[in-house]
Amino acid sequence: GPFVMLLLCAARPAPASRRSAPAKMLRNIDRCEALIFTTSSAVDQPTSRLRRGVSRLLAEASDDGALVALLEPPGSPEHEPLPGAVTWPTNAAEPTVAELTSL
């Protein structure tokens, strides 16, 4: 069946003195069909720029022909766009099981 990668990250802000950890994809022998980010997993909150590693993951997904999506809660701050990603608005800060199921 299809393999979907969902990247979730804790919503707490990173300490000002340290950079956020790079985003990483779990490796699997199956081909990834979709790469789904939450805003907090893709964007560094203090700078509104893509987190380290996100551009590489986007390029890998593009090379594989995988769908890339961004789950974005209402009231999200302006941020750097995710090239090639479809934006799906959510009803709350973190997506609910029902919202993920309806994708």
Side-chain angles (χ1 to χ4, degrees):
F3 174 63
V4 176
M5 179 65 60
L6 175 63
L7 296 177
L8 297 172
C9 183
R12 66 176 186 209
S17 62
R18 294 189 341 210
R19 293 180 61 187
S20 62
K24 296 180 184 176
M25 186 183 320
L26 296 175
R27 297 297 173 201
N28 192 309
I29 59 171
D30 296 328
R31 186 176 152 292
C32 183
E33 298 289 331
L35 185 60
I36 303 173
F37 291 93
T38 61
T39 303
S40 60
S41 70
V43 178
D44 182 52
Q45 300 302 320
T47 65
S48 297
R49 307 240 357 167
L50 295 182
R51 290 179 60 202
R52 291 183 307 135
V54 171
S55 294
R56 180 184 46 80
L57 293 175
L58 291 171
E60 287 181 31
S62 177
D63 289 346
D64 287 346
L67 168 73
V68 178
L70 174 67
L71 301 177
E72 193 161 50
S76 290
E78 290 293 318
H79 56 79
E80 186 175 343
L82 270 70
V86 175
T87 300
W88 279 314
T90 60
N91 293 322
E94 293 296 328
T96 64
V97 172
E99 287 172 321
L100 292 175
T101 303
S102 69
L103 298 176

